[in-house]
Amino acid sequence: MRTIAISGKGGTGKTTLAALIIRWLSENRSRSILAVDADSNVNLNDILGVKIRDTVGAIREEMKKSVDNLPAGMTKQQFLEYKIQTSLVETRNFDLIAMGRPEGPGCYCYANNLLRDILKTLGENYDYVVIDNEAGMEHLSRRTTQAIDYLLSVSDASPRGIQTAGRISKTLEELDTRVRRRFLILNRAPENLTETVMGAIQQEELHLLAVIPEDAALLKMDRDGMPVYNISANSPAYQAVNEFMNKLDL
Amino acid sequence: MSKLIASRAIRGAHKLVARAENELQQAIKEKGTQEKVEFPNTGYYLPISYGILGLQIDTLGGLTELLEEAKILLPQIPEDSLWLPYLGHTLDAGMATLFADEIIEAIKYTSNPLPYLTAPNPSESQLWLGAANDVIMRERGIEFVDGTAPGFAACVGYCPTNEIAVKIARELQEKNLYVFMSAETEGKSMAQQLREEGIQMGWETRLVPFGNDVTATIHALGFATRVALSFGGAQPGDFQRVLRYNKNRVFAFVLALGPVDDEKHAQAAGAINYGFPTIADTDIDQILPTGICTYEHVVSPVSHDKIVAKAIEVRGLKISITKVPIPVPFGPAFQGERVRKDDMYVELAGQPNPGFEFLAIKSLDEVEDGKIEVVGPEIDDLDEGVQIPLAIWVDVAGRQMQPDFEPILERQIHDFINCANGVFHMGQRDINWARISKEAKAKGFKFRHFGSIIHAKLHGEFGKIVDKVQVKIYTREKEILELIDLARKVYHERDARLADMTDESVDTFYSCTLCQSFAPNHVCVITPERSGLCGAYNWLDGKAAYQINPTGPNQPIKKGIPIDERKGQWEDINTFVYNSSHKTLERFNAYSMIEDPMTSCGCFECISCILPSTNGIMVVYRDYAGMTPSGMKFSTLAGTVGGGVQTPGFIGHSKHYIGSKKFISHEGGAMRIVWMNRNLKEELEPILREIGKQNGIEDLCDRIADDTLATTEEEVLEFITKKNHPALSMDPLF
């Protein structure tokens, strides 16, 4: 089982990238894929073109709120597990689960403890787990996600964007989360990168994996609110994804 | 115990002892006292006399001592006029019988030609084998110890038809039991019946014909005695050990087939000494009280189609099933396995279709062990990708079964089914859901295998309490809808019982140290009446968490000796808490807030603290940002109770806990509440009203102040005095 996490500031195009990675895996490796939307701004499902019924966050809140009214005879662990399994969206090419809203006030030790185990077991059933993470990567720090094979940080082709990506990468080191390899991906970038950009990359000690060009077709789909997942295989963005995915050991 | 049956056994014993005396006298006259006496190729002298009495008999002369012992044990034949013979007398008669048997059989071995074939298997001309030699004893005796053969059936007499004889023999063989046959009745015996049917017999087949004389039954008991001496570490003469070993480890019983005369009654009495009960197919008197045997001593009449099952049940024989008989791999490694939609052959219940899972305890007669039925289509009748309903109904029976076990056993269905490779199961009760993968179906997995799994695992894991399991699997909506209401009714009843569970009714609490990353010295102790502080965990959750992860943050703590039950203090719990709080907390009282209250992490929903002049307490919910009559806001109060600190007069707890009977019960419970923040008071109004009613006060809520009515302690006192709050007349808080 391989885990790929994609993170980046909002607007860098990471969710789109996550969707294209899922598409590539389902066409080139296996359809046993678990897509995890770990961004509290739930929108991976839109880009993938599926509807979600429930999120892990909502389930967790429901449990806390109705602690006295849960289905009787069931422990909270069983309840959470049941709800999470039923919330999973299943398609031919992938299954999707959305983490949803972050924690509110109050105590989450217990709920997160349960979730960690449930999600870990769930992930082990798939050949690939692709996680769309927000910049803060709360789920990594709360340990609700497990060890990661590839962390792909997405940024635009600007020094400030790259610095942010670098900072996030360093935070991860401090958290002692187990990440096997870290890479930087520059999205919507021009063909020639400036020296300042290259310098920033070096300074942040990041490994540049790929440079993805601006893609008109993709832009149009986005503007029209269409699921980018269905983009043509000839599109420059998808071609770029194909190129770097082949480089990874998957 | 019936005088009749005891009298028959005692009379039978007398007859046999008299016969033994006669034959011995005769033999000594013919051959002299020095004539050698032994069972060929055995090193145990004569097993019964050696094992039970420690006598080393190897001559005819030696047998006279055994005869004397028999006579000493023989009780008087009961007179019609008087007393009821006690079981003790009957047992003695039984023992005397065994001695007499041994004498008679030993004498047989001095005749020429031998009436027995000294070989492991019968031949064309000679059916009867007599005593087992040491080679057989060593080879086969060990099977009783390692469980390969749980025991034996000593069959005396004959069956009404040959067919029945064969059926019973096969049934016994299937359970890996040895079949020791002896004694004719009316000139016929089971071994002869089997021979007539061409059934192969001998030690290899476990069908062993000892002899046609009633006294040949001794060879079965002799074998049992030798097993105790060889493998049970019993010394010759230590009869207690010999008998007890057999009672506990050798699962043997007597099947009395056909009319049972006095001599056979006597044999049965002898067997009872070893803890071996008798089950008869004719109507002889029963001995139902337990004592020497684990369960009943004599049970009759039992029909032939049930007699083997009944014997097994009466003997307390546990059928152990080590392998789950299904065509896919099975094990805990497959528990987390999920069957993706793409991979599934069939989906059962879940959201699209109704379903439920239910386990009921029935009486032993109502359950046929191993019976599995599928009502509705089997998996082969269905096309790929189909979704159907599913109900699983399990009936169990067992001698040691209790009603409280029902939900515990029922909960296991989920775990058991999940262990099958290619099978996914979620939920329980009436929210069950399952999937079978295409791969599993291709390997031959069928719906009936749900039953095979449940049967095997319930026996395997709960063998102590489960004796019989039968399973019905419903895959048709009609029957499921008919039964679902019945199941739900029972679920409700169980939940009601659970809600009434008290701290006193359990001997184990559960700890929770999940929060120790924030509060290293804090540990919660979760009891049935007191949930975890965060409000999330109850006692059942703690128990389940421990079962799932035995090395996790939830550990069982035995209550042990209570130091003060009113305050809620137990010695072993203090020790546990002392150790898991990194030696900061020496003791705590579960039911008090004044003396050594329980600590908290920092996530409690509410804080209670005393308002001394009111003789009561205030309770504030964490969302309330305003000032409280204690002079502190919630966030300040939190400093007194958070982080594992123990401050008398202050505790953090969940909202839910306020409704518990144990909420500061030492101080009088929720009746002490004189102030709450308004939102909390409104939310808990029904609970508080109920508590008030139970204590004879209809309007408790109206007597409790809140932040709209009073903000300082003086104002609270004024308010509650006006309203005559019960706290004012309760015992002083300290």
Side-chain angles (χ1 to χ4, degrees), chain B residues 530-553:
Chain B
R530 186 202 185 116
S531 62
L533 288 178
C534 48
Y537 250 106
N538 65 27
W539 186 83
L540 278 177
D541 293 320
K543 183 168 176 180
Y546 171 66
Q547 278 172 337
I548 294 171
N549 184 5
T551 55

Tab-separated table of all heavy atoms in Angstrom, chain B residues 530-553:
chain	number	residue	atom	x	y	z
B	530	ARG	N	-20.399	5.967	36.163
B	530	ARG	CA	-19.630	7.197	35.977
B	530	ARG	C	-18.832	7.102	34.689
B	530	ARG	O	-17.856	6.355	34.611
B	530	ARG	CB	-18.681	7.392	37.153
B	530	ARG	CG	-17.994	8.729	37.054
B	530	ARG	CD	-16.707	8.784	37.843
B	530	ARG	NE	-16.212	10.147	37.777
B	530	ARG	CZ	-16.085	10.977	38.810
B	530	ARG	NH1	-16.380	10.551	40.015
B	530	ARG	NH2	-15.661	12.198	38.646
B	531	SER	N	-19.225	7.894	33.719
B	531	SER	CA	-18.518	7.827	32.441
B	531	SER	C	-17.259	8.669	32.512
B	531	SER	O	-17.029	9.370	33.480
B	531	SER	CB	-19.421	8.355	31.323
B	531	SER	OG	-19.736	9.698	31.580
B	532	GLY	N	-16.455	8.583	31.468
B	532	GLY	CA	-15.248	9.395	31.421
B	532	GLY	C	-15.607	10.858	31.459
B	532	GLY	O	-16.688	11.262	31.069
B	533	LEU	N	-14.679	11.680	31.932
B	533	LEU	CA	-14.954	13.101	32.125
B	533	LEU	C	-15.335	13.823	30.851
B	533	LEU	O	-16.116	14.748	30.869
B	533	LEU	CB	-13.699	13.775	32.653
B	533	LEU	CG	-13.344	13.445	34.073
B	533	LEU	CD1	-12.066	14.161	34.390
B	533	LEU	CD2	-14.445	13.925	34.984
B	534	CYS	N	-14.701	13.405	29.760
B	534	CYS	CA	-14.945	14.136	28.533
B	534	CYS	C	-16.362	13.912	28.062
B	534	CYS	O	-16.844	14.581	27.176
B	534	CYS	CB	-13.954	13.699	27.465
B	534	CYS	SG	-13.813	11.930	27.317
B	535	GLY	N	-17.028	12.934	28.676
B	535	GLY	CA	-18.398	12.654	28.277
B	535	GLY	C	-18.474	11.633	27.167
B	535	GLY	O	-19.535	11.159	26.809
B	536	ALA	N	-17.308	11.277	26.638
B	536	ALA	CA	-17.345	10.385	25.482
B	536	ALA	C	-17.395	8.922	25.858
B	536	ALA	O	-18.099	8.137	25.270
B	536	ALA	CB	-16.120	10.650	24.620
B	537	TYR	N	-16.651	8.569	26.853
B	537	TYR	CA	-16.440	7.163	27.160
B	537	TYR	C	-17.363	6.652	28.231
B	537	TYR	O	-17.397	7.202	29.302
B	537	TYR	CB	-15.069	7.046	27.789
B	537	TYR	CG	-14.038	6.378	26.977
B	537	TYR	CD1	-13.036	7.129	26.392
B	537	TYR	CD2	-14.014	5.003	26.837
B	537	TYR	CE1	-12.049	6.498	25.677
B	537	TYR	CE2	-13.033	4.393	26.132
B	537	TYR	CZ	-12.048	5.130	25.557
B	537	TYR	OH	-11.060	4.523	24.861
B	538	ASN	N	-18.042	5.512	27.999
B	538	ASN	CA	-18.695	4.889	29.135
B	538	ASN	C	-18.017	3.549	29.430
B	538	ASN	O	-17.069	3.159	28.756
B	538	ASN	CB	-20.205	4.748	28.901
B	538	ASN	CG	-20.514	3.797	27.765
B	538	ASN	OD1	-19.741	2.888	27.464
B	538	ASN	ND2	-21.619	4.016	27.117
B	539	TRP	N	-18.523	2.871	30.420
B	539	TRP	CA	-17.873	1.651	30.893
B	539	TRP	C	-17.773	0.597	29.799
B	539	TRP	O	-16.760	-0.081	29.656
B	539	TRP	CB	-18.668	1.124	32.083
B	539	TRP	CG	-18.061	-0.052	32.785
B	539	TRP	CD1	-17.086	-0.037	33.748
B	539	TRP	CD2	-18.417	-1.411	32.603
B	539	TRP	NE1	-16.813	-1.303	34.167
B	539	TRP	CE2	-17.613	-2.175	33.485
B	539	TRP	CE3	-19.327	-2.072	31.786
B	539	TRP	CZ2	-17.697	-3.560	33.563
B	539	TRP	CZ3	-19.412	-3.451	31.866
B	539	TRP	CH2	-18.598	-4.179	32.755
B	540	LEU	N	-18.836	0.472	29.006
B	540	LEU	CA	-18.832	-0.508	27.917
B	540	LEU	C	-17.780	-0.155	26.877
B	540	LEU	O	-17.130	-1.024	26.314
B	540	LEU	CB	-20.195	-0.551	27.226
B	540	LEU	CG	-21.259	-1.402	27.915
B	540	LEU	CD1	-22.543	-1.270	27.148
B	540	LEU	CD2	-20.833	-2.851	27.978
B	541	ASP	N	-17.617	1.142	26.619
B	541	ASP	CA	-16.620	1.573	25.640
B	541	ASP	C	-15.233	1.214	26.138
B	541	ASP	O	-14.381	0.780	25.382
B	541	ASP	CB	-16.682	3.083	25.413
B	541	ASP	CG	-17.967	3.486	24.739
B	541	ASP	OD1	-18.403	2.757	23.837
B	541	ASP	OD2	-18.527	4.529	25.113
B	542	GLY	N	-15.039	1.421	27.449
B	542	GLY	CA	-13.734	1.107	28.018
B	542	GLY	C	-13.450	-0.370	27.889
B	542	GLY	O	-12.352	-0.798	27.517
B	543	LYS	N	-14.480	-1.153	28.188
B	543	LYS	CA	-14.325	-2.601	28.124
B	543	LYS	C	-14.018	-3.043	26.697
B	543	LYS	O	-13.133	-3.859	26.460
B	543	LYS	CB	-15.636	-3.223	28.605
B	543	LYS	CG	-15.619	-4.710	28.679
B	543	LYS	CD	-16.831	-5.190	29.434
B	543	LYS	CE	-16.791	-6.711	29.370
B	543	LYS	NZ	-17.801	-7.370	30.005
B	544	ALA	N	-14.779	-2.489	25.752
B	544	ALA	CA	-14.572	-2.855	24.348
B	544	ALA	C	-13.200	-2.408	23.867
B	544	ALA	O	-12.500	-3.141	23.175
B	544	ALA	CB	-15.659	-2.233	23.480
B	545	ALA	N	-12.808	-1.207	24.274
B	545	ALA	CA	-11.505	-0.687	23.842
B	545	ALA	C	-10.393	-1.589	24.341
B	545	ALA	O	-9.427	-1.866	23.633
B	545	ALA	CB	-11.306	0.734	24.358
B	546	TYR	N	-10.553	-2.071	25.564
B	546	TYR	CA	-9.531	-2.956	26.125
B	546	TYR	C	-9.467	-4.268	25.343
B	546	TYR	O	-8.401	-4.798	25.060
B	546	TYR	CB	-9.815	-3.236	27.596
B	546	TYR	CG	-8.928	-4.320	28.170
B	546	TYR	CD1	-7.554	-4.123	28.303
B	546	TYR	CD2	-9.457	-5.539	28.555
B	546	TYR	CE1	-6.727	-5.114	28.799
B	546	TYR	CE2	-8.634	-6.532	29.061
B	546	TYR	CZ	-7.274	-6.324	29.182
B	546	TYR	OH	-6.467	-7.309	29.685
B	547	GLN	N	-10.637	-4.773	24.980
B	547	GLN	CA	-10.654	-6.033	24.245
B	547	GLN	C	-10.012	-5.881	22.871
B	547	GLN	O	-9.348	-6.772	22.383
B	547	GLN	CB	-12.088	-6.535	24.081
B	547	GLN	CG	-12.572	-7.261	25.315
B	547	GLN	CD	-14.036	-7.592	25.258
B	547	GLN	OE1	-14.804	-6.952	24.538
B	547	GLN	NE2	-14.447	-8.580	26.008
B	548	ILE	N	-10.228	-4.710	22.267
B	548	ILE	CA	-9.661	-4.483	20.941
B	548	ILE	C	-8.167	-4.238	21.020
B	548	ILE	O	-7.392	-4.712	20.218
B	548	ILE	CB	-10.349	-3.279	20.268
B	548	ILE	CG1	-11.823	-3.613	20.000
B	548	ILE	CG2	-9.658	-2.895	18.993
B	548	ILE	CD1	-12.618	-2.442	19.540
B	549	ASN	N	-7.784	-3.455	22.013
B	549	ASN	CA	-6.385	-3.108	22.153
B	549	ASN	C	-5.933	-3.303	23.591
B	549	ASN	O	-5.943	-2.368	24.390
B	549	ASN	CB	-6.188	-1.638	21.728
B	549	ASN	CG	-4.736	-1.247	21.767
B	549	ASN	OD1	-3.859	-2.084	22.021
B	549	ASN	ND2	-4.459	0.026	21.555
B	550	PRO	N	-5.512	-4.519	23.944
B	550	PRO	CA	-5.192	-4.810	25.343
B	550	PRO	C	-3.998	-4.033	25.890
B	550	PRO	O	-3.770	-4.012	27.092
B	550	PRO	CB	-4.878	-6.312	25.338
B	550	PRO	CG	-5.342	-6.835	24.051
B	550	PRO	CD	-5.363	-5.706	23.080
B	551	THR	N	-3.228	-3.403	24.999
B	551	THR	CA	-2.097	-2.632	25.531
B	551	THR	C	-2.337	-1.141	25.346
B	551	THR	O	-1.429	-0.344	25.365
B	551	THR	CB	-0.796	-3.000	24.805
B	551	THR	OG1	-1.024	-2.805	23.394
B	551	THR	CG2	-0.416	-4.431	25.067
B	552	GLY	N	-3.577	-0.777	25.140
B	552	GLY	CA	-3.909	0.614	24.850
B	552	GLY	C	-4.183	1.440	26.093
B	552	GLY	O	-3.826	1.040	27.207
B	553	PRO	N	-4.822	2.610	25.908
B	553	PRO	CA	-5.023	3.519	27.028
B	553	PRO	C	-6.121	3.097	27.995
B	553	PRO	O	-6.340	3.763	28.995
B	553	PRO	CB	-5.416	4.836	26.337
B	553	PRO	CG	-5.985	4.422	25.028
B	553	PRO	CD	-5.313	3.153	24.635
